[in-house]
Amino acid sequence: MNSRNSRTQMLYTLGFLFFLICAFAAFFTGVKVGADKTEAKYAHLTDAEGALEEFSGSYQQQDLVAFYHNVFLPYREFKRNWNNEVDNLARSTDARTNAATLKNLSLLADKQYDKVSKDSLFTSSPLLSQSQLNILKSLTLFSQASSKVTAGTSGSETAKALKNDNFTASAIKFGLLGQKDFYDSMLKWGSKTSSSIPAETGTIKTLSFVAWKKMPLLLKNSTVANIMLNRKIYGAYDPQDITAKIDDMIYSGTASSLSLKDVQSSITLLISTGAVQEQDFMKWREQYYGKEVMPQLPFFYE
């Protein structure tokens, strides 16, 4: 009898484990399928003409300006709204409000997706094409995440579930990839404009303030965008806002008084304390960046 019960229990255990494996496999497949569908739909953005290689006519200022207005600005608006809505959600105690917030986030992701996908103008600038594709993937996954999470009475628990969802994690990754590609594109533009600006960031190592102060603005911004990707920093602010905050900490003596020695530790402190805000770059643009080479993009001048 005991032997028969043991076999039955073992079969139940094996069956349960098999069910869990299948469930996890289906879930992660769903995340991949969401991204892959977007990639397939816009495969023409990275076809032979858009392969990641240099073109003689690539990364012109008009390419960056067109990309900013057609792709980055709609996504930037979404990112701002996403962060604001999730913060509001975390403080809510009404199930209807929480459900409405999730629905609105999904609708907003779909609306911005339509704007971003309207034009493909960047086949001569491969990194911009790749950035557009990554941003489309991000919006697709944000929409799916917002639709999948169930709203409860506790807004904090609903917000936590949304933040911890794998669709959300993938959406953030693709969004930060798209941001990095855009800032790397600006660096390529800068290298064509000035011989003092490199075309690539190179390997990101621990960066001393001595080395940082020698870097042109576009290289600083591209480096920060890479760090944001690696650390999954998804705020409403832009890389240049972090750049400006670091520069002000250095030149005001704050970094020294806090015994900070490098850029990475400074970013850790700034993000953990919520010290970076939108438009921080504009506060110090005239003071620190008056002679810097930068493209005529609104968020550098307005």
Side-chain angles (χ1 to χ4, degrees):
M1 179 69 71
N2 288 338
S3 176
R4 182 178 301 169
N5 287 340
S6 296
R7 284 198 301 271
T8 301
Q9 289 175 352
M10 183 178 71
L11 289 172
Y12 275 123
T13 301
L14 290 173
F16 181 69
L17 289 173
F18 178 75
F19 171 78
L20 282 179
I21 292 169
C22 290
F24 277 113
F27 180 78
F28 287 111
T29 299
V31 174
K32 187 174 186 304
V33 166
D36 287 350
K37 281 183 178 178
T38 302
E39 186 163 12
K41 186 174 181 180
Y42 292 93
H44 63 282
L45 297 178
T46 53
D47 60 11
E49 286 188 332
L52 291 180
E53 59 186 54
E54 187 60 88
F55 289 82
S56 59
S58 61
Y59 307 107
Q60 301 298 313
Q61 178 153 265
Q62 60 263 32
D63 296 330
L64 298 175
V65 172
F67 183 90
Y68 176 87
H69 286 289
N70 289 283
V71 178
F72 195 74
L73 183 58
Y75 188 71
R76 195 169 176 238
E77 291 170 351
F78 171 81
K79 186 174 64 166
R80 180 189 300 119
N81 285 316
W82 171 270
N83 282 286
N84 288 339
E85 289 296 326
V86 172
D87 285 346
N88 293 335
L89 179 63
R91 294 189 292 270
S92 172
T93 56
D94 182 77
R96 282 189 175 181
T97 300
N98 298 342
T101 297
L102 291 175
K103 183 177 181 180
N104 288 338
L105 284 172
S106 181
L107 290 172
L108 178 62
D110 292 339
K111 178 183 176 182
Q112 300 307 84
Y113 180 99
D114 290 340
K115 289 183 180 179
V116 171
S117 64
K118 188 174 295 183
D119 294 302
S120 172
L121 309 172
F122 319 108
T123 53
S124 65
S125 298
L127 280 169
L128 293 178
S129 294
Q130 189 64 41
S131 180
Q132 183 179 20
L133 179 59
N134 282 326
I135 286 173
L136 287 168
K137 290 180 183 178
S138 177
L139 291 168
T140 298
L141 291 166
F142 270 124
S143 177
Q144 292 175 350
S146 304
S147 300
K148 185 169 75 70
V149 171
T150 301
T153 305
S154 170
S156 61
E157 289 299 317
T158 305
K160 183 179 179 181
L162 182 60
K163 288 180 179 180
N164 292 338
D165 188 82
N166 279 70
F167 282 88
T168 301
S170 294
I172 288 172
K173 181 190 77 172
F174 283 118
L176 292 171
L177 269 172
Q179 176 176 265
K180 171 192 164 300
D181 292 336
F182 184 35
Y183 280 80
D184 286 349
S185 297
M186 290 184 229
L187 191 59
K188 285 192 176 294
W189 169 84
S191 71
K192 294 172 177 288
T193 305
S194 170
S195 59
S196 64
I197 299 176
E200 298 178 352
T201 56
T203 304
I204 305 297
K205 299 178 180 178
T206 300
L207 190 57
S208 70
F209 291 146
V210 173
W212 172 264
K213 287 192 287 186
K214 295 177 182 177
M215 295 165 60
L217 174 64
L218 294 181
L219 180 56
K220 289 178 179 179
N221 291 344
S222 183
T223 300
V224 170
N226 274 269
I227 293 172
M228 291 176 74
L229 170 62
N230 293 334
R231 296 192 179 186
K232 302 178 177 65
I233 299 171
Y234 195 77
Y237 42 79
D238 298 311
Q240 66 267 19
D241 295 318
I242 297 179
T243 292
K245 200 74 176 180
I246 293 170
D247 280 333
D248 188 63
M249 288 178 70
I250 294 171
Y251 293 115
S252 68
T254 303
S256 178
S257 67
L258 294 173
S259 299
L260 296 170
K261 304 291 185 184
D262 59 78
V263 169
Q264 281 83 349
S265 60
S266 300
I267 291 176
T268 298
L269 177 64
L270 289 170
I271 301 305
S272 65
T273 57
V276 184
Q277 303 295 323
E278 289 183 84
Q279 299 297 309
D280 273 346
F281 174 80
M282 294 304 298
K283 292 180 185 177
W284 293 293
R285 182 174 68 85
E286 294 298 329
Q287 185 173 351
Y288 298 134
Y289 310 113
K291 296 181 179 179
E292 289 281 354
V293 174
M294 43 188 152
Q296 297 287 325
L297 299 176
F299 62 7
F300 287 143
Y301 294 94
E302 296 177 358

Coordinates of all heavy atoms in Angstrom, one line a residue, residues 184-260:
D184 N 24.1 57.2 -29.7 CA 25.3 56.7 -30.4 C 25.2 57.4 -31.8 O 26.3 57.7 -32.4 CB 25.3 55.2 -30.6 CG 25.7 54.5 -29.3 OD1 26.2 55.3 -28.3 OD2 25.6 53.3 -29.1
S185 N 24.0 57.6 -32.4 CA 23.9 58.2 -33.7 C 24.4 59.7 -33.6 O 25.0 60.2 -34.5 CB 22.4 58.2 -34.2 OG 22.0 56.9 -34.4
M186 N 24.0 60.4 -32.5 CA 24.5 61.7 -32.4 C 26.0 61.8 -32.3 O 26.7 62.7 -32.8 CB 23.9 62.3 -31.1 CG 22.4 62.6 -31.1 SD 21.9 63.4 -29.6 CE 20.5 62.5 -29.2
L187 N 26.6 60.8 -31.6 CA 28.1 60.7 -31.5 C 28.7 60.5 -32.9 O 29.7 61.2 -33.2 CB 28.5 59.6 -30.6 CG 29.9 59.5 -30.2 CD1 30.3 60.7 -29.5 CD2 30.2 58.3 -29.3
K188 N 28.1 59.7 -33.8 CA 28.6 59.5 -35.1 C 28.5 60.8 -35.9 O 29.3 61.2 -36.7 CB 27.8 58.4 -35.8 CG 28.2 57.0 -35.4 CD 27.7 55.9 -36.3 CE 28.2 54.6 -35.9 NZ 29.6 54.4 -36.1
W189 N 27.3 61.5 -35.7 CA 27.2 62.8 -36.4 C 28.3 63.8 -35.9 O 28.9 64.5 -36.7 CB 25.8 63.5 -36.0 CG 25.7 64.9 -36.4 CD1 25.4 65.4 -37.7 CD2 26.0 66.0 -35.6 NE1 25.4 66.8 -37.7 CE2 25.8 67.2 -36.4 CE3 26.4 66.2 -34.3 CZ2 25.9 68.5 -35.9 CZ3 26.5 67.5 -33.8 CH2 26.3 68.6 -34.6
G190 N 28.6 63.8 -34.6 CA 29.6 64.7 -34.0 C 31.0 64.4 -34.6 O 31.8 65.3 -34.8
S191 N 31.3 63.1 -34.8 CA 32.6 62.7 -35.3 C 32.8 63.2 -36.7 O 33.9 63.4 -37.1 CB 32.8 61.2 -35.2 OG 32.0 60.5 -36.2
K192 N 31.7 63.4 -37.5 CA 31.8 63.9 -38.8 C 31.9 65.4 -38.8 O 32.4 66.0 -39.8 CB 30.6 63.5 -39.6 CG 30.4 62.0 -39.9 CD 29.0 61.8 -40.5 CE 28.9 60.3 -40.9 NZ 29.7 59.9 -42.0
T193 N 31.5 66.0 -37.7 CA 31.5 67.5 -37.5 C 32.8 68.0 -36.9 O 33.3 69.1 -37.3 CB 30.3 67.9 -36.7 OG1 29.1 67.4 -37.2 CG2 30.2 69.4 -36.6
S194 N 33.4 67.2 -36.0 CA 34.6 67.7 -35.3 C 35.6 66.5 -35.1 O 35.1 65.4 -34.7 CB 34.2 68.3 -33.9 OG 35.4 68.5 -33.2
S195 N 36.8 66.7 -35.4 CA 37.8 65.7 -35.3 C 38.1 65.3 -33.8 O 38.7 64.3 -33.5 CB 39.1 66.1 -35.9 OG 39.6 67.3 -35.3
S196 N 37.7 66.2 -32.9 CA 37.9 65.9 -31.5 C 36.8 65.0 -30.9 O 36.9 64.6 -29.7 CB 37.9 67.2 -30.7 OG 36.6 67.8 -30.7
I197 N 35.8 64.6 -31.7 CA 34.7 63.7 -31.2 C 34.9 62.4 -31.8 O 34.9 62.2 -33.0 CB 33.3 64.3 -31.5 CG1 33.2 65.7 -30.9 CG2 32.2 63.4 -31.1 CD1 31.9 66.4 -31.2
P198 N 35.0 61.3 -31.0 CA 35.1 60.0 -31.5 C 33.8 59.5 -32.1 O 32.7 60.0 -31.7 CB 35.5 59.1 -30.3 CG 34.9 59.9 -29.1 CD 35.0 61.3 -29.5
A199 N 33.8 58.5 -32.9 CA 32.6 57.9 -33.5 C 31.9 56.9 -32.6 O 30.7 56.7 -32.8 CB 32.9 57.3 -34.9
E200 N 32.6 56.4 -31.6 CA 32.0 55.4 -30.7 C 32.5 55.6 -29.3 O 33.5 56.2 -29.1 CB 32.4 54.0 -31.2 CG 31.9 53.6 -32.6 CD 32.4 52.2 -33.0 OE1 33.2 51.6 -32.3 OE2 31.9 51.8 -34.1
T201 N 31.7 55.1 -28.4 CA 32.1 55.2 -26.9 C 33.2 54.3 -26.5 O 34.0 54.7 -25.6 CB 30.9 54.9 -26.0 OG1 30.4 53.6 -26.3 CG2 29.7 55.9 -26.3
G202 N 33.3 53.2 -27.2 CA 34.3 52.2 -26.7 C 33.8 51.4 -25.5 O 32.7 51.5 -25.1
T203 N 34.7 50.6 -24.9 CA 34.3 49.8 -23.7 C 34.1 50.8 -22.5 O 34.9 51.6 -22.2 CB 35.4 48.8 -23.4 OG1 35.7 48.0 -24.5 CG2 35.0 47.9 -22.2
I204 N 32.9 50.5 -21.9 CA 32.6 51.3 -20.7 C 33.3 50.8 -19.5 O 32.9 49.7 -19.0 CB 31.1 51.4 -20.5 CG1 30.4 51.9 -21.8 CG2 30.7 52.3 -19.3 CD1 30.7 53.3 -22.1
K205 N 34.3 51.5 -19.0 CA 34.9 51.1 -17.7 C 34.7 52.1 -16.6 O 34.0 53.1 -16.9 CB 36.5 51.0 -18.0 CG 36.9 50.0 -19.0 CD 38.4 50.0 -19.3 CE 38.8 49.0 -20.3 NZ 40.2 49.0 -20.6
T206 N 35.2 51.8 -15.4 CA 35.0 52.8 -14.4 C 35.7 54.1 -14.8 O 36.9 54.1 -15.2 CB 35.7 52.3 -13.1 OG1 35.0 51.1 -12.6 CG2 35.5 53.4 -12.0
L207 N 34.9 55.2 -14.8 CA 35.4 56.4 -15.5 C 35.7 57.5 -14.4 O 34.8 57.9 -13.7 CB 34.2 56.9 -16.4 CG 34.5 58.0 -17.4 CD1 35.7 57.7 -18.3 CD2 33.2 58.3 -18.2
S208 N 37.0 57.8 -14.3 CA 37.4 58.8 -13.4 C 36.9 60.2 -13.8 O 36.6 60.5 -15.0 CB 38.9 58.8 -13.2 OG 39.5 59.4 -14.4
F209 N 36.8 61.1 -12.8 CA 36.4 62.5 -13.2 C 37.5 63.2 -14.1 O 37.1 64.0 -14.9 CB 36.2 63.3 -11.9 CG 35.0 62.9 -11.1 CD1 35.1 63.0 -9.7 CD2 33.9 62.5 -11.7 CE1 34.0 62.6 -8.9 CE2 32.8 62.1 -11.0 CZ 32.8 62.2 -9.6
V210 N 38.7 62.8 -13.9 CA 39.8 63.4 -14.7 C 39.5 63.1 -16.2 O 39.5 63.9 -17.1 CB 41.2 62.9 -14.3 CG1 42.2 63.3 -15.3 CG2 41.5 63.3 -12.9
A211 N 39.2 61.8 -16.5 CA 38.9 61.4 -17.9 C 37.6 62.0 -18.3 O 37.4 62.4 -19.5 CB 38.8 59.8 -17.9
W212 N 36.6 62.0 -17.5 CA 35.3 62.5 -17.8 C 35.3 64.0 -18.3 O 34.7 64.4 -19.3 CB 34.3 62.4 -16.6 CG 33.0 63.1 -16.7 CD1 32.7 64.3 -16.2 CD2 31.8 62.6 -17.3 NE1 31.3 64.6 -16.4 CE2 30.8 63.5 -17.1 CE3 31.5 61.4 -18.0 CZ2 29.5 63.4 -17.6 CZ3 30.2 61.2 -18.4 CH2 29.2 62.2 -18.2
K213 N 36.1 64.8 -17.6 CA 36.2 66.2 -17.9 C 36.8 66.5 -19.2 O 36.6 67.6 -19.8 CB 37.0 67.0 -16.8 CG 36.2 67.1 -15.5 CD 36.8 68.1 -14.5 CE 38.0 67.5 -13.8 NZ 38.5 68.5 -12.8
K214 N 37.6 65.6 -19.7 CA 38.2 65.7 -21.1 C 37.3 65.3 -22.2 O 37.6 65.5 -23.4 CB 39.5 64.9 -21.1 CG 40.6 65.3 -20.2 CD 41.8 64.4 -20.2 CE 42.9 64.8 -19.3 NZ 44.0 63.8 -19.3
M215 N 36.2 64.7 -21.9 CA 35.3 64.1 -22.9 C 34.3 65.2 -23.4 O 33.8 66.0 -22.7 CB 34.4 63.0 -22.3 CG 35.2 61.8 -21.9 SD 34.3 60.6 -20.9 CE 32.9 60.1 -21.9
P216 N 34.1 65.3 -24.8 CA 33.1 66.2 -25.3 C 31.7 65.8 -24.9 O 31.4 64.6 -24.5 CB 33.2 66.0 -26.8 CG 33.8 64.7 -27.0 CD 34.7 64.4 -25.8
L217 N 30.8 66.7 -24.9 CA 29.4 66.5 -24.4 C 28.7 65.2 -25.1 O 28.1 64.4 -24.4 CB 28.5 67.7 -24.7 CG 27.0 67.5 -24.3 CD1 26.8 67.3 -22.9 CD2 26.3 68.8 -24.8
L218 N 28.8 65.1 -26.4 CA 28.2 64.0 -27.1 C 28.7 62.6 -26.6 O 28.0 61.7 -26.5 CB 28.3 64.1 -28.6 CG 27.6 65.4 -29.2 CD1 27.8 65.4 -30.7 CD2 26.1 65.4 -28.8
L219 N 30.0 62.6 -26.3 CA 30.6 61.3 -25.8 C 30.1 61.1 -24.4 O 29.8 59.9 -24.0 CB 32.1 61.4 -25.8 CG 32.8 60.2 -25.3 CD1 32.4 58.9 -26.1 CD2 34.4 60.4 -25.4
K220 N 30.0 62.1 -23.6 CA 29.4 61.9 -22.2 C 28.0 61.4 -22.3 O 27.7 60.4 -21.6 CB 29.4 63.3 -21.5 CG 30.8 63.8 -21.1 CD 30.7 65.2 -20.4 CE 32.0 65.7 -19.9 NZ 31.9 67.0 -19.3
N221 N 27.2 62.0 -23.1 CA 25.8 61.6 -23.2 C 25.7 60.2 -23.7 O 24.8 59.4 -23.2 CB 25.0 62.5 -24.2 CG 24.9 63.9 -23.7 OD1 25.0 64.2 -22.5 ND2 24.5 64.9 -24.5
S222 N 26.5 59.8 -24.7 CA 26.4 58.4 -25.2 C 26.9 57.4 -24.1 O 26.3 56.3 -24.0 CB 27.3 58.3 -26.5 OG 27.2 57.0 -27.0
T223 N 27.9 57.8 -23.4 CA 28.3 56.9 -22.3 C 27.3 56.8 -21.2 O 27.0 55.6 -20.8 CB 29.6 57.6 -21.7 OG1 30.6 57.7 -22.6 CG2 30.1 56.7 -20.5
V224 N 26.6 57.8 -20.9 CA 25.5 57.8 -19.9 C 24.4 56.9 -20.4 O 23.8 56.1 -19.7 CB 25.0 59.2 -19.5 CG1 23.7 59.1 -18.7 CG2 26.1 59.9 -18.7
A225 N 24.0 57.0 -21.7 CA 23.0 56.2 -22.3 C 23.3 54.7 -22.2 O 22.4 53.9 -21.9 CB 22.7 56.6 -23.7
N226 N 24.6 54.4 -22.4 CA 25.0 53.0 -22.2 C 24.9 52.5 -20.8 O 24.5 51.4 -20.5 CB 26.5 52.9 -22.7 CG 26.6 52.7 -24.2 OD1 26.6 51.5 -24.7 ND2 26.7 53.7 -25.0
I227 N 25.3 53.4 -19.8 CA 25.2 53.0 -18.4 C 23.7 52.9 -18.0 O 23.4 51.9 -17.3 CB 25.9 54.1 -17.6 CG1 27.4 54.1 -17.8 CG2 25.6 53.9 -16.1 CD1 28.1 55.2 -17.1
M228 N 22.9 53.7 -18.5 CA 21.4 53.6 -18.2 C 20.9 52.3 -18.7 O 20.1 51.6 -18.1 CB 20.7 54.8 -18.9 CG 20.9 56.1 -18.2 SD 20.1 57.5 -19.1 CE 18.4 57.2 -18.5
L229 N 21.3 51.8 -19.9 CA 20.9 50.5 -20.5 C 21.4 49.4 -19.6 O 20.6 48.5 -19.2 CB 21.4 50.4 -21.9 CG 21.3 49.0 -22.5 CD1 19.8 48.6 -22.6 CD2 22.0 48.9 -23.9
N230 N 22.7 49.4 -19.2 CA 23.3 48.4 -18.4 C 22.6 48.3 -17.0 O 22.5 47.2 -16.4 CB 24.8 48.6 -18.3 CG 25.5 48.4 -19.6 OD1 25.0 47.7 -20.5 ND2 26.6 49.1 -19.8
R231 N 22.2 49.4 -16.5 CA 21.7 49.5 -15.1 C 20.1 49.5 -15.1 O 19.5 49.6 -14.0 CB 22.2 50.7 -14.4 CG 23.7 50.6 -14.1 CD 24.2 51.6 -13.1 NE 25.6 51.6 -12.9 CZ 26.2 52.3 -12.0 NH1 25.5 53.2 -11.2 NH2 27.5 52.2 -11.8
K232 N 19.5 49.5 -16.3 CA 18.0 49.5 -16.4 C 17.4 50.8 -15.7 O 16.4 50.7 -15.0 CB 17.4 48.2 -15.8 CG 17.9 47.0 -16.4 CD 17.3 45.7 -15.8 CE 17.8 44.4 -16.4 NZ 19.2 44.2 -16.3
I233 N 18.1 51.9 -16.0 CA 17.6 53.2 -15.4 C 16.6 53.8 -16.4 O 16.9 54.2 -17.5 CB 18.8 54.2 -15.2 CG1 19.8 53.6 -14.2 CG2 18.3 55.5 -14.7 CD1 21.1 54.4 -14.1
Y234 N 15.3 53.8 -16.0 CA 14.2 54.2 -16.9 C 13.4 55.3 -16.2 O 12.3 55.2 -15.7 CB 13.3 53.0 -17.2 CG 12.4 53.2 -18.3 CD1 12.8 53.1 -19.6 CD2 11.0 53.5 -18.1 CE1 12.0 53.3 -20.7 CE2 10.2 53.7 -19.2 CZ 10.6 53.6 -20.5 OH 9.8 53.8 -21.6
G235 N 14.0 56.5 -16.3 CA 13.4 57.7 -15.7 C 12.8 58.6 -16.8 O 13.0 58.3 -18.0
A236 N 12.1 59.6 -16.4 CA 11.5 60.5 -17.4 C 12.6 61.5 -18.0 O 12.4 62.1 -19.0 CB 10.4 61.4 -16.7
Y237 N 13.7 61.6 -17.3 CA 14.8 62.4 -17.7 C 15.6 61.8 -18.9 O 15.5 60.6 -19.2 CB 15.7 62.7 -16.6 CG 16.0 61.5 -15.7 CD1 16.9 60.6 -16.1 CD2 15.3 61.4 -14.5 CE1 17.1 59.4 -15.3 CE2 15.5 60.2 -13.7 CZ 16.4 59.3 -14.1 OH 16.6 58.2 -13.3
D238 N 16.5 62.6 -19.5 CA 17.3 62.1 -20.6 C 18.8 62.0 -20.2 O 19.2 62.5 -19.1 CB 17.2 63.1 -21.8 CG 15.8 63.3 -22.3 OD1 15.2 62.3 -22.6 OD2 15.4 64.5 -22.5
P239 N 19.6 61.3 -21.0 CA 21.0 61.1 -20.6 C 21.7 62.5 -20.3 O 22.5 62.5 -19.4 CB 21.6 60.4 -21.8 CG 20.4 59.5 -22.3 CD 19.2 60.4 -22.1
Q240 N 21.4 63.5 -21.1 CA 22.1 64.8 -20.9 C 21.7 65.4 -19.6 O 22.5 66.2 -19.1 CB 21.8 65.8 -22.1 CG 20.4 66.2 -22.2 CD 19.6 65.4 -23.2 OE1 19.9 64.2 -23.4 NE2 18.5 65.9 -23.7
D241 N 20.6 65.0 -19.0 CA 20.2 65.6 -17.7 C 21.2 65.0 -16.6 O 21.6 65.7 -15.7 CB 18.8 65.2 -17.4 CG 17.8 66.0 -18.3 OD1 18.0 67.2 -18.6 OD2 16.8 65.3 -18.7
I242 N 21.5 63.7 -16.8 CA 22.4 63.0 -15.8 C 23.8 63.6 -16.1 O 24.5 63.9 -15.1 CB 22.4 61.5 -16.0 CG1 21.1 60.9 -15.7 CG2 23.5 60.9 -15.2 CD1 21.0 59.4 -15.9
T243 N 24.2 63.8 -17.3 CA 25.5 64.4 -17.7 C 25.6 65.8 -17.0 O 26.7 66.0 -16.3 CB 25.6 64.6 -19.2 OG1 25.7 63.3 -19.8 CG2 26.9 65.4 -19.5
A244 N 24.6 66.6 -17.1 CA 24.7 67.9 -16.5 C 24.8 67.9 -15.0 O 25.5 68.7 -14.4 CB 23.5 68.8 -16.9
K245 N 24.0 67.0 -14.4 CA 24.1 66.8 -12.9 C 25.4 66.4 -12.5 O 25.9 66.9 -11.5 CB 23.0 65.8 -12.5 CG 22.6 65.9 -11.1 CD 21.7 67.1 -10.9 CE 21.2 67.1 -9.4 NZ 20.3 68.3 -9.2
I246 N 26.1 65.5 -13.2 CA 27.4 65.0 -12.8 C 28.4 66.2 -12.9 O 29.2 66.5 -12.1 CB 27.9 63.9 -13.7 CG1 27.0 62.6 -13.4 CG2 29.4 63.5 -13.5 CD1 27.3 61.5 -14.4
D247 N 28.3 66.9 -14.1 CA 29.2 68.1 -14.3 C 29.1 69.1 -13.2 O 30.1 69.7 -12.7 CB 29.0 68.7 -15.6 CG 29.7 67.9 -16.8 OD1 30.7 67.2 -16.5 OD2 29.2 68.0 -17.9
D248 N 27.8 69.4 -12.8 CA 27.6 70.4 -11.7 C 28.2 69.9 -10.4 O 28.7 70.7 -9.6 CB 26.1 70.7 -11.6 CG 25.9 71.9 -10.7 OD1 26.4 73.0 -11.0 OD2 25.3 71.7 -9.6
M249 N 28.0 68.6 -10.1 CA 28.6 68.0 -8.9 C 30.1 68.2 -8.9 O 30.7 68.5 -7.8 CB 28.2 66.6 -8.8 CG 26.8 66.3 -8.4 SD 26.4 64.5 -8.3 CE 27.3 64.1 -6.9
I250 N 30.7 68.0 -10.0 CA 32.2 68.1 -10.1 C 32.6 69.6 -9.9 O 33.5 69.9 -9.1 CB 32.7 67.6 -11.4 CG1 32.5 66.0 -11.5 CG2 34.2 67.9 -11.6 CD1 32.7 65.4 -12.9
Y251 N 32.1 70.5 -10.7 CA 32.5 71.8 -10.8 C 32.1 72.7 -9.6 O 32.7 73.7 -9.2 CB 32.1 72.5 -12.1 CG 32.8 71.9 -13.3 CD1 32.0 71.2 -14.3 CD2 34.2 72.0 -13.4 CE1 32.7 70.6 -15.4 CE2 34.8 71.4 -14.5 CZ 34.0 70.7 -15.5 OH 34.7 70.2 -16.6
S252 N 31.0 72.2 -8.9 CA 30.6 73.0 -7.7 C 31.3 72.5 -6.5 O 31.1 73.1 -5.4 CB 29.0 72.8 -7.5 OG 28.8 71.4 -7.2
G253 N 32.0 71.4 -6.6 CA 32.7 70.8 -5.4 C 31.9 69.8 -4.6 O 32.5 69.3 -3.6
T254 N 30.7 69.6 -5.0 CA 29.8 68.6 -4.3 C 30.4 67.2 -4.3 O 30.4 66.5 -3.3 CB 28.4 68.6 -4.9 OG1 27.9 69.9 -4.8 CG2 27.5 67.7 -4.1
A255 N 30.9 66.8 -5.5 CA 31.5 65.5 -5.7 C 32.6 65.3 -4.7 O 32.8 64.2 -4.1 CB 31.9 65.2 -7.1
S256 N 33.5 66.3 -4.6 CA 34.6 66.2 -3.7 C 34.2 66.1 -2.3 O 34.8 65.3 -1.5 CB 35.5 67.4 -3.9 OG 36.6 67.4 -3.1
S257 N 33.2 66.9 -1.9 CA 32.8 66.9 -0.5 C 32.1 65.6 -0.1 O 32.1 65.2 1.1 CB 31.8 68.1 -0.2 OG 30.6 67.9 -1.0
L258 N 31.6 64.9 -1.1 CA 31.0 63.6 -0.9 C 31.9 62.4 -1.1 O 31.6 61.3 -1.0 CB 29.8 63.4 -1.8 CG 28.6 64.3 -1.6 CD1 27.5 64.2 -2.7 CD2 27.9 64.1 -0.2
S259 N 33.2 62.8 -1.4 CA 34.3 61.8 -1.6 C 34.0 60.9 -2.8 O 34.4 59.7 -2.8 CB 34.5 60.9 -0.3 OG 34.9 61.8 0.8
L260 N 33.3 61.4 -3.8 CA 33.1 60.7 -5.0 C 34.3 60.7 -5.9 O 34.9 61.8 -6.0 CB 31.8 61.2 -5.7 CG 30.5 61.1 -5.0 CD1 29.4 61.8 -5.7 CD2 30.1 59.6 -4.8

